[in-house]
Coordinates of all heavy atoms in Angstrom, one line a residue:
F173 N -58.3 3.9 -55.2 CA -57.9 4.8 -56.2 C -59.0 5.7 -56.6 O -60.1 5.2 -57.0 CB -57.3 4.1 -57.4 CG -56.0 3.4 -57.1 CD1 -56.0 2.0 -56.7 CD2 -54.8 4.0 -57.1 CE1 -54.9 1.4 -56.4 CE2 -53.6 3.4 -56.7 CZ -53.7 2.0 -56.4
D174 N -58.8 7.0 -56.6 CA -59.9 7.9 -56.9 C -59.7 8.6 -58.3 O -58.6 8.7 -58.8 CB -60.0 9.0 -55.9 CG -58.9 10.1 -56.0 OD1 -57.7 9.7 -56.1 OD2 -59.2 11.3 -56.1
Y175 N -60.9 9.2 -58.8 CA -60.8 10.2 -59.8 C -61.7 11.3 -59.2 O -62.9 11.0 -58.9 CB -61.4 9.7 -61.1 CG -61.5 10.9 -62.1 CD1 -60.3 11.6 -62.5 CD2 -62.7 11.3 -62.6 CE1 -60.4 12.6 -63.4 CE2 -62.8 12.4 -63.5 CZ -61.6 13.0 -63.9 OH -61.7 14.1 -64.8
E176 N -61.2 12.4 -58.9 CA -61.9 13.5 -58.2 C -62.6 13.0 -57.0 O -63.8 13.3 -56.8 CB -62.8 14.3 -59.2 CG -62.0 14.9 -60.3 CD -62.8 15.7 -61.3 OE1 -64.0 15.5 -61.4 OE2 -62.2 16.6 -62.0
E177 N -61.9 12.2 -56.2 CA -62.4 11.7 -54.9 C -63.5 10.6 -55.0 O -63.9 10.1 -53.9 CB -62.9 12.9 -53.9 CG -61.7 13.8 -53.5 CD -60.6 13.0 -52.7 OE1 -60.9 12.1 -52.0 OE2 -59.5 13.4 -52.8
S178 N -64.0 10.3 -56.1 CA -64.9 9.2 -56.3 C -64.2 7.9 -56.7 O -63.0 8.0 -57.0 CB -66.0 9.6 -57.3 OG -66.8 10.6 -56.8
Y179 N -64.9 6.8 -56.7 CA -64.5 5.5 -57.2 C -63.7 4.7 -56.1 O -63.5 3.5 -56.3 CB -63.6 5.5 -58.5 CG -64.3 6.2 -59.7 CD1 -64.3 7.5 -59.9 CD2 -64.9 5.3 -60.6 CE1 -64.9 8.1 -61.0 CE2 -65.4 5.9 -61.8 CZ -65.4 7.3 -61.9 OH -66.0 7.8 -63.0
R180 N -63.4 5.4 -55.0 CA -62.5 4.7 -54.0 C -63.2 3.4 -53.4 O -62.5 2.5 -53.0 CB -62.2 5.6 -52.9 CG -61.3 6.8 -53.2 CD -60.7 7.4 -52.0 NE -60.2 8.8 -52.1 CZ -59.0 9.1 -52.4 NH1 -58.1 8.2 -52.7 NH2 -58.7 10.4 -52.5
N181 N -64.5 3.4 -53.4 CA -65.2 2.3 -52.7 C -65.5 1.1 -53.6 O -66.3 0.2 -53.3 CB -66.5 2.8 -52.0 CG -67.5 3.4 -52.9 OD1 -67.1 3.9 -54.0 ND2 -68.7 3.4 -52.5
M182 N -65.1 1.1 -54.9 CA -65.2 0.0 -55.7 C -64.3 -1.2 -55.2 O -63.2 -0.9 -54.7 CB -64.8 0.3 -57.2 CG -65.7 1.2 -57.9 SD -65.0 1.6 -59.5 CE -66.4 2.1 -60.4
D183 N -64.8 -2.4 -55.3 CA -63.9 -3.5 -54.8 C -63.0 -4.1 -55.9 O -62.4 -5.1 -55.6 CB -64.8 -4.6 -54.1 CG -65.8 -5.2 -55.1 OD1 -65.7 -5.0 -56.3 OD2 -66.7 -5.9 -54.6
Y184 N -62.9 -3.5 -57.0 CA -62.0 -3.9 -58.1 C -61.3 -2.7 -58.6 O -61.6 -1.5 -58.3 CB -62.8 -4.6 -59.2 CG -63.7 -3.7 -60.0 CD1 -63.3 -3.0 -61.1 CD2 -65.0 -3.4 -59.5 CE1 -64.2 -2.2 -61.8 CE2 -65.9 -2.5 -60.2 CZ -65.4 -1.9 -61.4 OH -66.3 -1.1 -62.0
I185 N -60.3 -2.9 -59.4 CA -59.5 -1.8 -60.0 C -59.7 -1.8 -61.5 O -59.6 -2.9 -62.2 CB -58.0 -2.0 -59.7 CG1 -57.8 -1.6 -58.2 CG2 -57.1 -1.0 -60.6 CD1 -56.3 -1.8 -57.7
G186 N -60.0 -0.6 -62.1 CA -60.3 -0.5 -63.5 C -59.7 0.7 -64.1 O -59.1 1.6 -63.4
V187 N -59.8 0.7 -65.4 CA -59.3 1.9 -66.2 C -60.5 2.6 -66.7 O -61.5 2.0 -67.2 CB -58.5 1.4 -67.4 CG1 -58.0 2.6 -68.2 CG2 -57.3 0.6 -67.0
M188 N -60.5 4.0 -66.6 CA -61.7 4.7 -67.0 C -61.8 4.9 -68.5 O -60.8 5.0 -69.2 CB -61.7 6.1 -66.3 CG -62.0 6.1 -64.8 SD -61.7 7.7 -64.1 CE -63.1 8.6 -64.8
K189 N -63.0 5.1 -68.9 CA -63.2 5.4 -70.3 C -62.7 6.9 -70.5 O -63.0 7.7 -69.7 CB -64.7 5.4 -70.7 CG -65.3 4.0 -70.7 CD -66.8 4.1 -71.0 CE -67.4 2.7 -70.9 NZ -68.9 2.7 -70.8
P190 N -62.0 7.1 -71.6 CA -61.4 8.5 -71.8 C -62.5 9.6 -71.8 O -62.3 10.7 -71.2 CB -60.8 8.4 -73.2 CG -60.6 7.0 -73.5 CD -61.6 6.2 -72.7

Side-chain angles (χ1 to χ4, degrees):
F173 294 95
D174 76 307
Y175 174 63
E176 297 186 339
E177 292 300 327
S178 291
Y179 300 84
R180 293 195 201 270
N181 62 334
M182 287 174 163
D183 59 12
Y184 66 95
I185 288 179
V187 179
M188 287 174 71
K189 290 179 183 163

